[in-house]
Amino acid sequence: MSVRQSLLAILDQGPCYGYQLRHEFDRRTGSTWPLNVGQIYNTLERLERDGLVARGGADEHGHVYWHITAAGSAEVADWLSSPVVRSVATRDELAVKIAVAATLPGVDVAEVIATQRAISAHRSAALQEATFAGTDHDAPEALAWSLIVDSMRFAAEAEERWLDHVERRLAAHPRHALALELATERPKRGRPAKDAAA
């Protein structure tokens, strides 16, 4: 999630102060990922350093308003018009954990999967029961909330389907065929050679 670009996009609508930015971010994300004010001010200071926002004057209540610059508006336009490119290489903690567990002698990978499945099922059930806290279910905030919660629901369902897939794949291999003992040869120093196809 890009806090930086999200805050810039909000500022592109007009000047805001820190707490106001937090409120506007919450409205646009359904409060699914609340930000603390310190995070917002740290981001604003970095944006100012990069010439994307400028600090304005304070109002009678002491609120310092931040304004977007032309460079900031250009970055917002670029962000909104560019696709989100997800990395091909995975560093997904769950995938790595199960892959390592499946190759460790003496580890019951079925138990590792069962433990994960229980928390995944609980998360899925909680997301299915989640309801918008506001009163106006036709409000833009309700739509923003539902879009994010739907994304979380689909991700939870995908995790459960992936765990089913892993169980089927592991069941097709004898347990002893998966175990990797520590290698006896010394690894070569330095980085591995890049694949010619990469």
Side-chain angles (χ1 to χ4, degrees):
M1 177 186 61
S2 177
V3 172
R4 173 187 171 101
Q5 277 81 8
S6 297
L7 296 182
L8 269 177
I10 293 167
L11 286 171
D12 208 29
Q13 302 300 299
C16 294
Y17 58 90
Y19 278 94
Q20 183 181 11
L21 273 172
R22 183 175 75 171
H23 175 71
E24 292 298 330
F25 181 85
D26 285 349
R27 288 180 62 217
R28 286 161 172 79
T29 60
S31 299
T32 49
W33 287 301
L35 299 177
N36 68 52
V37 174
Q39 183 178 5
I40 289 172
Y41 282 111
N42 285 339
T43 303
L44 286 169
E45 288 170 3
R46 286 193 300 273
L47 290 169
E48 181 181 37
R49 177 200 66 203
D50 296 342
L52 302 174
V53 301
R55 191 183 314 234
D59 67 9
E60 66 275 7
H61 302 290
H63 300 132
V64 174
Y65 281 81
W66 296 80
H67 305 263
I68 195 164
T69 64
S73 291
E75 184 159 321
V76 169
D78 185 52
W79 178 58
L80 293 174
S81 65
S82 301
V84 173
V85 179
R86 299 186 190 276
S87 174
V88 175
T90 182
R91 294 236 180 195
D92 180 270
E93 183 180 356
L94 177 58
V96 171
K97 179 180 181 178
I98 290 179
V100 170
T103 62
L104 292 173
V107 172
D108 185 355
V109 72
E111 184 60 31
V112 173
I113 293 170
T115 299
Q116 186 65 39
R117 185 183 306 286
I119 195 70
S120 297
H122 176 74
R123 183 167 177 255
S124 272
L127 287 167
Q128 292 302 328
E129 294 173 6
T131 56
F132 179 62
T135 55
D136 184 359
H137 291 274
D138 293 324
E141 294 90 345
L143 175 61
W145 177 88
S146 69
L147 292 174
I148 291 176
V149 171
D150 284 348
S151 172
M152 295 165 68
R153 285 176 180 150
F154 285 127
E157 290 168 10
E159 181 172 291
E160 290 183 281
R161 287 194 313 274
W162 180 75
L163 290 170
D164 292 342
H165 170 77
V166 168
E167 280 185 325
R168 287 191 301 274
R169 294 285 309 274
L170 293 177
H173 296 279
R175 187 69 189 112
H176 67 276
L178 296 174
L180 288 175
E181 298 294 338
L182 289 176
T184 55
E185 70 273 2
R186 288 179 180 244
K188 293 182 181 178
R189 298 183 80 170
R191 294 184 177 193
K194 289 190 176 180
D195 188 349

